[in-house]
Amino acid sequence: MTSYRSLFLKLLSAVLVFGAWEIAGRIPVSYSFPTFLDTMSALAALTLDGTMLRAYAETLQPLAVGVTISAVFGIGIGLWVGLSARFDWLFSPIFIVMQAAPLAALIPLLVMAYGIGLTSKVFVVCIMAMPVIVLNTGAAVRNTPSSLKEMGKAFLAREDQIILKVIIPAASPVIFSGLRLGISAGFIGAILAELKITPTGVGDIITYSRSIADYPSMYAAIFSIILFAVLFLNLVERLEFILFKGNNRGYVSD
Amino acid sequence: MAMSQISDAPRPIREPAPENAVVARNVSKHYGPVEALRDLTLEFPRGQLTSLLGPSGCGKTTLLKIIAGLLEPTSGEILVNGEQVTGPGPDRAFVFQDFALLPWANVMRNVAFGLELRGVARSEREAIAERYIRDVGLAGFEDSYPHQLSGGMRQRVGLARALSVDAQVLLMDEPFSAVDEQTRRKFQEDLLALVENENKTFIFVTHSIEEAVYVSDQIAILLPRPSRVSEIIRPSGIRGKGADNIRRDPEYLDIVDRIWASLRSYVE
Ligand SMILES: Nc1ncnc2c1ncn2[C@@H]1O[C@H](COP(=O)(O)OP(=O)(O)O)[C@@H](O)[C@H]1O
Ligand SMILES: [Mg+2]
């Protein structure tokens, strides 16, 4: 019942947004702003002639590698940072600086150090994705209710059992929200890398179609990457639900 | 040094099971500049319920957590069955004031959690938990989550969890303070039956005089910080009169009055 209703609301909001886009494109707001329907037909054309598939095969490489590294190491370091005050002191500042750093200014340095290949692009994705994952995980671990940890100790939990059976489940909702934020930032990083380092994949479609004023194709590429990101984040949410069913039930110790 | 020199000399033989399940000996506890306990000595007879009664902030929780092995005393020692406590052990189980239930685990998993941590196989621990869930009156709620239960039911889960690890000593930190008055009275009656039926030693923290007199074999009155035991009262005359009659018993009312008289000077 409620799931139908929320699906209906999602469809309704999509229709409203796309309708507004179509109208804005027809007015037109700007010469370089295509209508929704033009964009969709460009998307269909790009998909059918295989351009899109080739582009994603390229874009997904740094994205997948970078997001995987960020998730694994980000959660690992975050757990460590949250558990040990000394580690927190040592590492948290690095990630806070990383989060605040203007990425575009760092890209020339990365290119000098690692060239224009995959490595630099993976770095860009990691710099975007990792800090929020580390910082969220660390904060979540630190905020585990101390009464639950104490309960674990009183019932003879070993240190590793406290981490696995108390701290991680308690922290999982915030860890996952960090993961979602990190992944969306990783998408931004992947596209940014393709726009700023070497035009490949989806970034290449955007750059190239802009240079020949094929705005519907440019918007189609942007639209497709947003759609892809949203679908992927939904998948992560599904994963969270399967792994930690019901962990976000809220705390009941008033 | 002096001890090691006479270590060959014959020692007095200790009786196998001391009559006190727990002994606190000259326990002091400082939290930085705050002195919570000073040189506190107290014995907890086996198989009985001892209450720690005192105004809030006087160090009852601190003492209970030191007995549990969750806190270290600044000086002094705790003996459980004659052996010094160095940390939590299987001989003690804790019932927490704020319940400390895992919000993501259902009643069954919460009750069986102590056994889960000890590596007891799932079917076995669930069979044990099942029994205690029934004993505390929560049969049918095995699959409910803590947020679906009332305060009283949550504390029953906490109690069942402590019972299912079968410790000899049960440490209860104001277990009924977050529970409404009617439920609390029912709890107190159930606790009396529990002391009678389970062969366990209970250490029960409360700030309610009536509650202490109603349920205890022995009441230790703690004075405000730095706290020591000011008085030990054994309401022996009213035990065994049946749960229903105690509250009307003149001796019960006398003891309540007497405790109030000795505590009132510390309450502004
Ligand atoms: N972790 C702590 N750090 C500093 N002071 C504490 C801490 N825990 C308790 N205290 C202080 O020690 C005293 C005794 O506390 P507690 O044992 O909780 O009392 P009670 O359980 O009798 O209410 C209180 O004054 C409290 O402020
Ligand atoms: Mg207390």
Side-chain angles (χ1 to χ4, degrees):
Chain A
M1 209 29 207
T2 43
S3 86
Y4 279 124
R5 199 186 148 113
S6 89
L7 185 68
F8 173 74
L9 286 175
K10 272 182 198 165
L11 283 177
L12 185 69
S13 79
V15 167
L16 286 177
V17 169
F18 296 148
W21 180 356
E22 181 68 26
I23 292 166
R26 276 173 199 266
I27 290 177
V29 179
S30 150
Y31 164 68
S32 58
F33 189 71
T35 64
F36 173 67
L37 292 176
D38 285 348
T39 306
M40 286 304 110
S41 67
L43 182 61
L46 287 170
T47 310
L48 289 178
D49 72 2
T51 314
M52 217 39 131
L53 195 67
R54 276 194 302 280
Y56 270 92
E58 245 170 344
T59 301
L60 284 184
Q61 286 173 31
L63 184 63
V65 176
V67 161
T68 309
I69 291 176
S70 302
V72 172
F73 286 89
I75 291 176
I77 295 172
L79 286 176
W80 211 345
V81 159
L83 290 171
S84 139
R86 186 175 312 159
F87 217 75
D88 186 24
W89 180 83
L90 202 63
F91 278 83
S92 284
I94 298 177
F95 290 101
I96 291 170
V97 169
M98 225 160 123
Q99 196 173 33
L103 184 63
L106 293 179
I107 286 179
L109 295 178
L110 285 173
V111 172
M112 266 201 302
Y114 302 104
I116 55 168
L118 186 62
T119 320
S120 288
K121 290 178 183 169
V122 169
F123 260 97
V124 173
V125 173
C126 288
I127 290 174
M128 289 295 289
M130 202 126 108
V132 68
I133 297 178
V134 171
L135 297 174
N136 261 42
T137 306
V141 168
R142 262 192 304 278
N143 289 333
T144 308
S146 59
S147 76
L148 290 185
K149 288 186 275 187
E150 198 163 53
M151 182 277 292
K153 267 187 223 136
F155 285 96
L156 306 182
R158 295 184 312 264
E159 203 57 41
D160 61 298
Q161 287 178 313
I162 297 216
I163 295 174
L164 284 175
K165 291 176 187 279
V166 177
I167 293 177
I168 290 181
S172 70
V174 180
I175 293 179
F176 267 92
S177 85
L179 203 56
R180 282 196 294 271
L181 290 172
I183 290 171
S184 3
F187 272 87
I188 297 173
I191 298 300
L192 206 61
E194 288 183 332
L195 294 178
K196 298 270 174 193
I197 299 177
T198 40
T200 50
V202 180
D204 185 35
I205 301 182
I206 296 173
T207 317
Y208 176 73
S209 42
R210 191 180 60 175
S211 72
I212 60 166
D214 179 4
Y215 294 112
S217 294
M218 176 182 148
Y219 275 81
I222 297 172
F223 179 83
S224 75
I225 192 81
I226 292 172
L227 186 70
F228 188 82
V230 168
L231 290 178
F232 191 72
L233 288 176
N234 266 311
L235 203 71
V236 172
E237 209 162 321
R238 205 60 62 80
L239 179 75
E240 176 185 3
F241 187 77
I242 293 168
L243 281 181
F244 294 100
K245 207 183 316 181
N247 277 23
N248 45 7
R249 283 179 205 278
Y251 291 95
V252 288
S253 55
D254 63 1
Chain B
M1 284 308 281
M3 284 301 288
S4 66
Q5 279 164 0
I6 58 160
S7 63
D8 290 337
R11 288 203 170 156
I13 300 156
R14 285 210 184 122
E15 65 249 67
E19 65 180 308
N20 290 315
V22 179
V23 177
R25 207 179 269 165
N26 307 110
V27 172
S28 300
K29 176 70 185 178
H30 299 250
Y31 291 107
V34 178
E35 191 178 13
L37 301 174
R38 179 189 287 174
D39 202 26
L40 181 147
T41 297
L42 185 57
E43 295 176 341
F44 300 87
R46 186 178 302 282
Q48 299 195 356
L49 189 149
T50 300
S51 288
L52 304 173
L53 175 64
S56 63
C58 80
K60 306 180 295 292
T61 299
T62 302
L63 178 58
L64 205 64
K65 287 189 175 165
I66 290 174
I67 296 174
L70 293 169
L71 284 177
E72 270 194 51
T74 309
S75 66
E77 59 178 2
I78 301 291
L79 303 176
V80 175
N81 293 322
E83 287 190 24
Q84 191 176 345
V85 164
T86 54
D91 43 13
R92 284 152 287 147
F94 209 105
V95 179
F96 293 85
Q97 181 170 11
D98 65 357
F99 320 130
L101 303 180
L102 304 175
W104 56 84
N106 61 16
V107 168
M108 173 57 84
R109 177 147 187 243
N110 265 300
V111 171
F113 193 64
L115 298 167
E116 179 182 337
L117 292 171
R118 278 162 219 206
V120 176
R122 187 183 184 129
S123 57
E124 191 182 337
R125 67 177 190 248
E126 293 199 338
I128 295 171
E130 182 84 61
R131 203 186 104 207
Y132 286 104
I133 290 171
R134 194 153 21 83
D135 280 5
V136 299
L138 284 180
F141 289 94
E142 288 83 354
D143 296 326
S144 303
Y145 285 83
H147 71 106
Q148 299 168 314
L149 305 178
S150 69
M153 292 161 90
R154 286 177 206 165
Q155 194 52 293
R156 287 175 188 276
V157 176
L159 183 61
R161 177 176 61 192
L163 289 172
S164 61
V165 296
D166 197 26
Q168 293 168 32
V169 180
L170 227 56
L171 307 166
M172 309 172 92
D173 188 7
E174 304 201 25
F176 311 151
S177 67
V179 160
D180 63 78
E181 180 61 25
Q182 288 87 329
T183 315
R184 192 220 269 278
R185 285 193 172 220
K186 178 77 174 78
F187 262 124
Q188 292 165 354
E189 289 178 11
D190 291 352
L191 183 61
L192 281 182
L194 206 62
V195 177
E196 195 124 315
N197 301 330
E198 302 268 340
N199 187 24
K200 294 184 193 304
T201 305
F202 292 76
I203 304 179
F204 179 88
V205 167
T206 178
H207 59 242
S208 155
I209 299 173
E210 284 82 3
E211 181 167 277
V213 179
Y214 185 76
V215 299
S216 311
D217 296 302
Q218 165 179 295
I219 303 168
I221 298 178
L222 304 185
L223 291 186
R225 272 194 357 237
S227 110
R228 296 138 291 125
V229 178
S230 82
E231 200 177 344
I232 292 180
I233 292 171
R234 309 189 124 268
S236 48
I238 58 173
R239 289 278 85 81
K241 286 200 173 161
D244 304 333
N245 301 322
I246 297 179
R247 284 187 225 275
R248 271 176 282 145
D249 193 90
E251 193 181 341
Y252 165 85
L253 298 168
D254 267 2
I255 297 172
V256 170
D257 271 353
R258 208 170 90 212
I259 296 176
W260 171 232
S262 65
L263 278 180
R264 73 184 308 162
S265 54
Y266 295 96
V267 183
E268 53 282 289

